[in-house]
Amino acid sequence: MLSPRQIIIRGVIAGVLATVVGAGALFAYVHWYTGTDRIVPGVVVGDTPVGGLRTRDARHRLVSAGAGSRIAVSDLYTAVHQAGTLGRRGTVWQRTRFFLAGLIHGHRVPLMPGLRPEALPAGPIGPPAVPPDLPAPTGPLPPARRRRAAAPMRYQIARFATPILAADPGRVQNISVGIAKINGALIEAGQVFSFNERVGPRDAEHGWAQANEIYQGEFIMGYGGGICQVSSTLYNTVLLGGLEVTMRHHHDRPLQYVSPGRDATVAWNVLDFQFRNNADVPVLVGARLLPGSPPQIEVTLHAPRPVPADSVRLEEGERRYEPPVLEEIMDPALPAHVRKVIDEGRSGIEVKIYRIIRVGGNVRRELVSHDHYLAKPGKVRVGIGNAPGSERLLKPGIQ
């Protein structure tokens, strides 16, 4: 007869085994599902549920729902294609988390026209409206505040722009929201600006869309994808304005729209970009989209009078490349000594960025960052066909 202690132990073991078996079955199902052409469950394009449908059927459903009469068919197809890529990147664990999140919370792909130069605003986007629950200040302002409020920000002390090379609808929406959030930010002398505090959480409830973002060196779909281009553009403007950067993180891999060492990644409640206004005057942030081919994000800094520095420029110092290591996979199906590269990997980069500030006859050169983007290993199949002992590699657990 089993003792109570033995019964409990066996019950715990049975529960653990059941959990492991269930998790394994779920991983296997997600791995199979994301290899099909069906959209993951819980996905909604515009207002139309398309989860579980093939992309072809999803397009037909959207057209039947009248979406084709509101936007161009090419933009509709782009949205469906974006929906079809959701949850298919990353590890099996990452895909399973995305799969379960879709079942519980759902995923929304915005149905909006693509970015066209003629549709872009010609001037700055206005600052975000004051929430209705924040009453406007009443009564006379203190003299110092009144002087600052009356002083026009007529001097542009810094400007930087980055090209929008990937203009899918979700990314464009997130860039537009991010620009509107930071535009009009006033940073008093000595004040620290927090990007996350200013922009807020990135989720569907706050107007953010799903788009490609970098996670552990790979592109995956996530809310707010594209917001890092806004923070990186602001980062370079801040550097050129001579302001003090107090917190900044680089991505796991180099980007296309800015040089290595010049990026600033952000993630809500995880990674922030912060800087301090070390000038003796308030600084105003301006941000807007500029039309063109490609269109650009422009961020500027303005002050009521010139800052002391005559000029500020950024200079790249040492750059060192680290070639990727190729992992060899023995392949009995290939003839002996034949090598077939299936993944070239990605080179790592180590780079230093300096800031040169000139004030009168004095020149100061300071190290801004020393970044190391790790290399991504590649994979190469090495043929061992007809080699002695190659038949052993066909057995499970050997390769």
Side-chain angles (χ1 to χ4, degrees):
M1 182 175 180
L2 297 176
S3 66
R5 182 172 180 272
Q6 290 173 319
I7 294 174
I8 293 174
I9 292 175
R10 291 194 175 187
V12 170
I13 293 175
V16 170
L17 290 176
T19 301
V20 171
V21 172
L26 176 61
F27 289 161
Y29 177 75
V30 171
H31 179 72
W32 168 81
Y33 190 101
T34 53
T36 69
D37 62 344
R38 293 186 179 273
I39 299 172
V40 298
V43 175
V44 176
V45 175
D47 299 321
T48 305
V50 296
L53 298 179
R54 290 184 170 89
T55 54
R56 178 189 62 232
D57 298 330
R59 291 195 295 265
H60 291 163
R61 175 174 290 187
L62 283 163
V63 171
S64 300
S69 62
R70 299 193 301 271
I71 68 170
V73 174
S74 60
D75 294 325
L76 185 150
Y77 278 27
T78 298
V80 173
H81 173 75
Q82 182 182 348
T85 63
L86 294 178
R88 300 185 187 278
R89 300 186 181 184
T91 64
V92 175
W93 167 240
Q94 292 169 341
R95 283 179 280 161
T96 302
R97 288 178 57 191
F98 194 93
F99 194 92
L100 294 176
L103 293 173
I104 299 172
H105 304 292
H107 301 291
R108 181 178 179 272
V109 176
L111 194 59
M112 58 186 293
L115 186 66
R116 297 182 178 89
E118 63 271 14
L120 296 175
I125 299 173
V130 178
D133 56 343
L134 291 180
T138 58
L141 291 173
R145 284 284 305 277
R146 188 164 59 248
R147 285 194 298 271
R148 287 198 299 271
M153 297 289 185
R154 67 177 68 209
Y155 292 96
Q156 178 178 295
I157 62 175
R159 174 193 177 275
F160 192 77
T162 57
I164 302 176
L165 303 176
D168 61 271
R171 181 179 175 85
V172 172
Q173 176 175 331
N174 295 332
I175 287 174
S176 300
V177 172
I179 285 175
K181 293 281 188 180
I182 68 170
N183 183 56
L186 181 67
I187 304 101
E188 299 283 358
Q191 181 182 355
V192 173
F193 174 94
S194 163
F195 189 89
N196 280 345
E197 182 180 332
R198 176 76 185 189
V199 173
R202 271 76 85 184
D203 51 38
E205 289 75 14
H206 290 82
W208 300 91
Q210 292 268 356
N212 268 327
E213 61 182 9
I214 297 177
Y215 178 75
Q216 294 184 350
E218 302 296 334
F219 286 101
I220 64 171
M221 295 298 291
Y223 283 106
I227 188 62
C228 288
Q229 184 167 354
V230 179
S231 60
S232 295
T233 309
L234 175 62
Y235 170 59
N236 281 268
T237 313
V238 166
L239 289 177
L240 293 171
L243 304 184
E244 176 189 356
V245 175
T246 57
M247 182 181 295
R248 171 259 176 185
H249 309 271
H250 68 83
H251 289 76
D252 295 326
R253 59 187 294 173
L255 306 174
Q256 290 182 305
Y257 54 79
V258 74
S259 301
R262 302 278 293 271
D263 60 307
T265 184
V266 290
W268 176 247
N269 278 339
V270 179
L271 302 174
D272 197 7
F273 166 55
Q274 298 180 7
F275 65 91
R276 188 176 72 88
N277 178 10
N278 55 336
D280 59 354
V281 292
V283 170
L284 179 70
V285 177
R288 62 176 179 172
L289 289 173
L290 295 178
S293 182
Q296 294 183 320
I297 301 173
E298 180 194 66
V299 176
T300 52
L301 295 179
H302 304 264
R305 58 176 172 79
V307 295
D310 296 325
S311 66
V312 180
R313 62 184 177 89
L314 301 178
E315 180 181 277
E316 182 177 309
E318 304 85 353
R319 182 190 289 199
R320 185 179 64 86
Y321 287 93
E322 175 187 344
V325 175
L326 288 180
E327 299 176 354
E328 294 186 342
I329 302 173
M330 301 297 107
D331 190 350
L334 288 178
H337 309 302
V338 172
R339 297 170 65 86
K340 183 177 180 181
V341 177
I342 57 177
D343 184 356
E344 295 182 351
R346 185 176 61 248
S347 295
I349 299 178
E350 185 178 1
V351 61
K352 293 181 180 180
I353 301 296
Y354 295 88
R355 178 164 62 176
I356 294 85
I357 302 177
R358 180 184 297 274
V359 181
N362 299 321
V363 178
R364 185 173 78 251
R365 186 173 189 260
E366 58 186 27
L367 177 65
V368 170
S369 61
H370 182 183
D371 296 337
H372 188 190
Y373 303 85
L374 297 179
K376 174 191 173 184
K379 294 181 180 179
V380 58
R381 292 192 176 276
V382 180
I384 56 171
N386 302 323
S390 62
E391 64 278 358
R392 292 192 309 109
L393 298 177
L394 297 174
K395 298 180 181 179
I398 299 297
Q399 184 171 350

